[in-house]
């Protein structure tokens, strides 16, 4: 009965405001469609077109030949297909002949014929087809000229023109912003709506500036304040709060693809949080945005005697290092250029509103950005080293500057640790020499027990025979070629193993290139026993063998050992497995066929002349390792940051023809985009163009892009949409500004106010345009349904973080502790990690493999991409989350307990208190009636269980997710 009433109440409450949501959903759908089309076109230009040029068009183009009747140089070619049929099935990679050909699984259908494409390229084609195979190429022959805007005509495009302070319209209005807005509204025959109610306005302001709701007390105080400057005072109070900085910083973190881990193996970037805190502090101090930009571009190359400022500069340059790179890439030249490409893509979109990545393989197809400009910028970035190469490359952590006494303390600890490390290395070399003296090539017949050599093992996958390291059993050993992780195994199974208990030993040839985590599993009567073997270190027994323990084997039971290369981080070696019988089993072993007798004196392979030396060395090593561990624990407390270091030999780099790192063209001098050429910032023989010059170029008065891009971002954060709706693309394929003069007015003000974001925010929220009601006008709707010209307020759904923070705030559980990391130091991988704290969402770790479900469902930003504007979807999964998620159930109960504790009066008054906290207003008559039907007339007493269902119903309501 209760659940039915609950559903009835939920249905009634969810119906409130449906007309507005239907309209808003239509707008969202239109916006999402346009944004999606731009993103897919950009993906084609960055990933698919270069792959076609490199791998396909030599045989499938009008300019070369039409092999198999298939043309791949135009949209028409895809649609028509070749002799074998259609090349692709839009939306269905599995059914597409193209995918079947490039996967190389069918021996009769393999393209390109000279070798399989890289794995990532194949994945790109799958994604492209899955997403609808958008191909913007319309030409059917290669003869048509490029559609790109040439450099000498770049001023024809609005974004590349110098910023000029526009004439402010002579209109009676509250602010200059409103004078521009009203002038355009009049030109479009639109009538602006009046201000919204004070209760709605303070909720709008609170969510926009703090990402949190106002309390019922704050709403009542604002409504009761009839002074002329009541709203202005409230704005200033909100701007002075630390919550404002946290709110603005979260927007910026979307833009810079902030995350604290990599998708690859879930590697955790333990110091990324410092960049997040840097951003919050920058907004809190309202530091000039041009200064903040310069620090993000080149802070590590700056200098300061002030340790706090110097630390800030170093941390700020972490902007470049947050990308989601594939550090497993074995072609290190390709890896470096992939990292640079990701950095340039982020830099271009974040600060310039330009899609620079499209120029990696060819001149930009639409904007005045030649490939030479791309590699001029790439050379600037390659002058800094951002990863250290190994089999799996690694990012760089460097210590932050410290006061002299603290630095001396840590330096001493590190020197002591290094000395111990050197001693350990020396002892290990000695141990290896002793082991090698006692470990010649071992003949099978010389070994006691039952031995299965690699020659008789059962192999799955392609294993390579080798004798490279001269410490092995029999005729050599095998290795997995360090490739195809998880697809190769070796099984060592003795033909006849009498029942009994055996010590099982595994032989391998150690080397520094080996896996440190080779997976070896023993299968016995007691089940399976997995082991991870560090094959970089010599075997503890004579430098060749390692004991896997003692196991019981039964007649006709499982008795074998497997070696796998799953998740291995180096070459996996398999040589031999030895089954040594224990005392109780010796007699049975001696009676077995084809088994050498067991000689008590030979049973222990470690019984050599060097046994005592080895034991002494091993003991000393263990003592030193224990001491080093204690030192390293103290050293780990030294603060570090994600760092770049100067490249060993920085130089200009050549153009990579078609983006291929191994197909080099002419060398390009380091520099920046020619479309904004500044003579005073040109490189010289004494000073090549570096990131400090790039930062100077970025903030120069002659560069019109950064100020326009930033004011457009701030406008969108407050107004719901940018004056230019394609936030990250101010190029010729982006949208035109809805009001170019307003955009340049804001940019001019921004620069004149010393790049103050706070002053920009203040000017916007004090405008009438910001304060308008969002309730529509049918006449205006017919002219401007998308509200491009700001005749009404923009109704918006709360973002994922704001939903979470609001629920925590309403429940009274929000922990407003600021700054620092929330990740345990021991965390090495983000897989399966779940954060359970109550801290504000901006401080919740952003882990690429473990995005909280709430953030995923409610369109949180993709931390691997520049996100100037989040998707705004309306899906069934959102409603289901609000109805069923255990966390929301618990928070509803906690909120109910808080309301009951703090409220008194009748049932209706308690319900109103819950409504005020959650949706910022008292219940309306139809809502009160719905709840009365739910609660029934049996009692006037509200218990926690009943009120928690009311609370969850309110959390699920449209008025909670769309707070006006």
């Amino acid at each position: 009965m209760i659940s039915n009433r609950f559903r009835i109440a939920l249905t009634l409450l969810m119906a409130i405001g449906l007309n507005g949501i239907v309209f808003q959903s239509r707008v969202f759908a239109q916006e999402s469609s346009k944004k999606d089309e731009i993103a897919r076109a950009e993906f084609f230009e960055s990933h698919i077109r270069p792959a076609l040029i490199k791998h396909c068009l030599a045989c499938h183009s009008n300019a070369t030949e039409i092999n198999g009747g298939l043309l791949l140089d135009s949209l028409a070619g895809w649609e028509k297909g070749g002799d074998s049929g259609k090349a692709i099935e839009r939306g269905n990679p599995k059914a597409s002949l193209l995918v079947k050909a490039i996967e190389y699984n069918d021996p009769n259908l393999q393209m390109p014929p000279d070798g399989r494409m890289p794995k990532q390229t194949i994945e790109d084609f799958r994604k492209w087809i899955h997403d609808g195979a958008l191909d913007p190429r319309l030409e059917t022959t290669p003869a048509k000229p490029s559609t790109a805007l040439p450099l000498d005509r770049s001023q024809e495009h609005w974004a590349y023109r110098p910023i000029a302070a526009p004439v402010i319209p002579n209109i009676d209005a509250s602010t200059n912003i409103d004078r521009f807005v009203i002038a355009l509204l009049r030109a479009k025959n639109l009538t602006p709506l009046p201000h919204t109610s004070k209760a709605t306005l303070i909720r709008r302001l609170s969510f926009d500036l703090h990402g949190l709701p106002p309390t019922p007390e704050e709403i009542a105080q604002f409504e009761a304040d009839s002074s002329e400057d009541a709203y202005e005072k409230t704005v200033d109070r909100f701007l002075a709060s630390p919550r404002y900085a946290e709110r603005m910083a979260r927007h910026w973190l979307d833009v810079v693809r902030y995350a604290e881990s990599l998708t690859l193996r879930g590697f955790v970037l333990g110091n990324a949080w410092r960049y997040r805190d840097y951003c919050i502090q920058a907004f809190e101090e309202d530091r000039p945005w041009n200064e903040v930009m310069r620090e993000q571009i080149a802070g590590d190359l700056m200098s300061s005697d002030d340790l706090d400022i110097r630390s800030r500069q170093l941390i700020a340059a972490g902007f470049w290092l947050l990308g989601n790179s594939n550090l497993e890439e074995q072609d290190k030249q390709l890896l470096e250029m992939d990292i640079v490409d990701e950095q340039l893509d982020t830099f271009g979109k974040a600060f310039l509103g330009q899609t620079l990545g499209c120029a990696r393989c060819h001149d930009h197809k639409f904007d005045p950005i030649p490939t030479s400009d791309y590699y001029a910028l790439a050379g600037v970035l390659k002058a800094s080293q951002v990863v250290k190469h190994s089999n799996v490359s690694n990012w760089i952590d460097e210590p932050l500057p410290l006061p002299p006494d603290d630095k001396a303390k840590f330096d001493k600890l590190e020197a002591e640790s290094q000395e111990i490390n050197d001693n350990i290395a020396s002892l290990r070399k000695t141990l290896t020499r002793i082991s090698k003296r006692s470990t010649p090539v071992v003949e099978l017949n010389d070994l006691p027990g039952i031995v299965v050599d690699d020659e008789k093992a059962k192999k799955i996958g392609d294993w390579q025979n080798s004798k490279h390291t001269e410490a092995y059993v029999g005729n050599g050993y095998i290795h997995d070629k360090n490739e195809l992780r998880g697809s190769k195994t070796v099984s060592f199974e003795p033909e006849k193993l009498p029942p009994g208990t055996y010590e099982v030993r595994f032989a391998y040839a150690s080397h520094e290139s080996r896996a440190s985590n080779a997976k070896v599993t023993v299968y016995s009567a007691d089940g399976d026993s997995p082991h991870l073997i560090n094959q970089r270190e010599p075997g503890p027994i004579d430098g060749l063998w390692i004991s896997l323990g003692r196991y019981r084997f039964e007649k006709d039971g499982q008795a074998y050992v497997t070696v796998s290369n799953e998740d291995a981080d180096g070459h996996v070696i398999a040589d031999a497995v030895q089954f040594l019988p224990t005392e109780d089993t010796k007699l049975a072993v001696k009676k077995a066929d084809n088994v050498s007798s067991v000689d008590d004196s030979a049973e222990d392979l470690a019984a050599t002349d060097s046994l005592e030396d080895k034991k002494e060395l091993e003991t000393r090593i263990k003592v030193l390792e224990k001491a080093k561990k204690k030192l390293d624990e103290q050293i780990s407390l030294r603060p570090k940051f994600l760092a770049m270091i100067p490249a060993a030999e920085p130089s200009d780099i050549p153009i990579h023809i078609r983006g291929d790192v191994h197909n080099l063209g002419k060398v390009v001098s380091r520099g920046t985009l020619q479309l904004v050429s500044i003579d005073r910032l040109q490189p010289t023989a004494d000073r090549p163009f570096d990131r400090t010059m790039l930062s100077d170029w970025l903030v120069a008065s002659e560069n019109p892009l950064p100020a326009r891009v930033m004011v457009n971002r701030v406008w969108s954060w407050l107004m719901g949409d940018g004056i230019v709706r394609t936030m990250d693309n101010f190029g010729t394929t982006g949208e035109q500004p809805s009001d170019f003069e307003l955009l340049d007015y804001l940019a001019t003000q921004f620069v004149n106010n010393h790049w103050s974001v706070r002053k920009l925010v203040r000017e916007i929220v004090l405008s009438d345009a910001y304060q308008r009601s969002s309730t529509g006008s049918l006449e205006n709707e017919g002219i401007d349904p998308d509200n491009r010209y700001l005749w009404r307020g923009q109704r918006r759904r709360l973002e994922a973080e704001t939903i979470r923070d609001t629920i925590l705030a309403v429940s009274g559980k929000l922990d407003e502790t600021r700054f620092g990391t929330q990740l345990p130091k021991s965390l090495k991988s983000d897989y399966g990690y779940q954060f359970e704290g109550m801290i504000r969402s901006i401080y919740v770790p952003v882990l690429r493999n473990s995005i909280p479900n709430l953030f995923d469902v409610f369109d949180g930003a993709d931390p691997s991409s520049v996100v100037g504007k989040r998707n705004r979807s309306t899906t069934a999964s959102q409603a289901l989350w609000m109805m069923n998620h255990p966390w929301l159930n618990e928070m509803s109960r906690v909120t109910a307990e808080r309301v009951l504790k703090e409220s008194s009066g009748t049932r209706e008054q308690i319900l109103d208190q819950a409504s005020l906290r959650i949706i910022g207003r008292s219940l309306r008559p139809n809502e009160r009636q719905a709840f009365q039907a739910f609660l029934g007339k049996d009692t006037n007493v509200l218990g926690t269980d009943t009120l928690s269902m009311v609370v969850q119903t309110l959390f699920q309501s449209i008025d909670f997710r769309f707070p006006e």
Side-chain angles (χ1 to χ4, degrees), residues 88-361:
I88 59 171
E89 294 289 342
R90 292 173 186 258
N92 191 350
K94 289 184 178 180
S96 298
L97 282 176
L98 171 72
V99 174
K100 292 179 181 179
I102 64 178
E103 284 178 335
Y104 262 57
N105 291 329
D106 184 346
N108 298 316
L109 184 62
Q110 295 183 343
M111 289 292 167
D114 57 350
R116 192 171 184 261
M117 291 181 184
K119 181 179 179 181
Q120 186 57 53
T121 303
I122 296 172
E123 288 300 318
D124 289 342
F125 272 104
R126 288 196 188 102
K127 171 179 170 53
W128 174 65
I129 295 172
H130 177 272
D131 293 345
L134 186 144
D135 184 346
R137 302 171 303 168
L138 299 178
E139 66 271 17
T140 56
T141 70
K144 286 192 175 182
S146 169
T147 57
L149 180 66
L151 270 169
D152 59 2
R153 292 169 46 204
S154 61
Q155 297 290 302
E156 294 177 12
H157 183 59
W158 64 268
Y160 307 137
R161 298 172 199 153
I163 295 174
V167 176
I168 298 172
N170 185 19
I171 291 175
D172 183 18
S174 300
T175 68
N176 285 340
I177 288 176
D178 293 307
R179 292 182 178 91
F180 285 103
V181 171
I182 291 173
L184 193 55
L185 287 175
R186 290 178 180 176
K188 301 293 182 181
N189 294 318
L190 293 164
T191 303
L193 296 185
H195 284 192
T196 190
S197 68
K198 294 188 75 173
T200 299
L201 182 57
I202 191 173
R203 276 176 65 79
R204 180 187 295 175
L205 189 71
S206 186
F207 282 121
D208 284 346
L209 298 193
H210 286 179
L212 288 164
T215 64
E217 294 75 19
E218 287 175 317
I219 296 174
Q221 181 181 355
F222 181 62
E223 287 187 304
D225 189 345
S226 58
S227 60
E228 290 185 2
D229 62 346
Y231 178 62
E232 188 173 352
K233 288 186 300 185
T234 303
V235 168
D236 289 337
R237 177 169 60 84
F238 275 50
L239 288 172
S241 168
R243 292 176 169 182
Y244 157 78
E246 292 166 340
R247 176 65 165 156
M248 294 297 110
R250 181 57 262 179
H251 287 308
W252 182 246
L253 295 181
D254 282 9
V255 176
V256 297
R257 83 297 189 213
Y258 173 77
E260 296 173 58
S261 70
L262 302 179
T263 300
L264 172 68
R265 302 191 185 185
F267 287 143
V268 176
L269 302 172
N271 291 301
W273 61 272
R274 295 188 188 277
Y275 176 84
R276 176 206 62 207
D277 287 1
Y278 163 85
C279 293
I280 296 171
Q281 290 165 340
F283 284 107
E284 188 166 6
E285 297 168 11
D286 194 32
R287 288 196 286 108
W289 190 250
N290 58 345
E291 177 186 326
V292 176
M293 286 193 295
R294 291 191 75 245
E295 288 179 342
Q296 291 180 86
I297 300 307
D300 58 314
L301 302 180
M302 297 176 181
S303 62
S304 175
D305 293 332
D306 185 305
L307 291 181
D308 290 337
I309 293 175
R310 185 63 191 133
S311 293
R312 185 181 82 196
Q313 292 169 341
L314 293 168
I315 292 167
F319 158 80
W320 296 109
L321 307 173
L322 300 170
N324 193 16
S325 302
N326 176 21
L327 301 182
E328 259 185 346
E329 174 61 61
Q330 295 303 299
D331 185 337
K332 300 306 179 182
Q333 289 177 270
L334 177 60
L335 171 60
E336 290 179 3
M337 279 308 301
D338 284 347
I339 291 174
V340 167
D341 184 65
E342 193 278 339
Q343 291 173 329
L344 285 178
D345 181 69
T346 304
F347 167 75
K349 291 175 179 176
F351 296 111
L352 304 173
Q354 299 296 299
T355 54
L356 301 182
C358 295
R360 178 178 181 176
C361 303

Side-chain angles (χ1 to χ4, degrees), residues 756-775:
S756 168
V757 174
R758 181 176 283 143
K759 288 181 180 178
L760 174 63
V761 170
R762 188 178 190 274
E763 184 171 8
I764 293 171
V765 299
L766 288 176
S767 69
D768 291 334
Y770 177 81
Q771 299 177 62
R772 287 200 180 99
S773 170
S774 60
T775 303

Side-chain angles (χ1 to χ4, degrees), residues 411-428:
D411 287 347
K412 181 180 178 183
L413 290 172
E414 289 178 349
E416 291 174 2
S417 177
Q418 185 59 49
E419 183 178 358
I420 291 176
N421 202 54
D422 292 342
N423 288 337
I424 291 173
S426 177
L427 291 173
R428 287 195 184 281

Side-chain angles (χ1 to χ4, degrees), residues 426-435 610-624:
S426 177
L427 291 173
R428 287 195 184 281
K429 286 182 180 179
T430 303
L431 183 61
T432 300
R433 286 196 298 271
I434 292 174
S435 297
S610 58
L611 177 60
E612 294 303 320
D613 290 338
K614 288 176 63 179
K615 285 186 176 179
E616 182 182 349
L617 286 171
E618 289 167 353
T619 300
R620 289 171 62 190
I621 288 172
K622 287 180 180 178
V623 170
L624 288 172

Side-chain angles (χ1 to χ4, degrees), residues 78 167 178 236 240 279 297 375 456 595 702 749 779 890 903:
W78 291 113
V167 176
D178 293 307
D236 289 337
C279 293
I297 300 307
Y375 286 96
K456 291 188 177 182
V595 177
E702 297 94 329
Q749 287 290 98
E779 183 179 354
E890 176 61 22
S903 303

Side-chain angles (χ1 to χ4, degrees), residues 2 5 43 75 141 153 228-229 288 367 374 490 595 629 679 689 702 777 780 782 947 959:
I2 289 293
R5 286 177 175 174
F43 185 84
L75 176 62
T141 70
R153 292 169 46 204
E228 290 185 2
D229 62 346
D367 299 333
Y374 177 94
V490 182
V595 177
K629 183 178 180 182
D679 291 340
F689 200 99
E702 297 94 329
S777 156
N780 286 351
L947 185 57
D959 280 14

Side-chain angles (χ1 to χ4, degrees), residues 531-551:
H531 302 264
L532 292 179
I533 308 299
N534 184 356
Q535 297 188 337
R536 295 173 186 173
E537 301 293 338
I541 303 172
D542 285 349
L544 178 62
W545 301 86
I546 186 169
S547 176
L548 304 178
R550 293 191 172 196
Y551 299 91

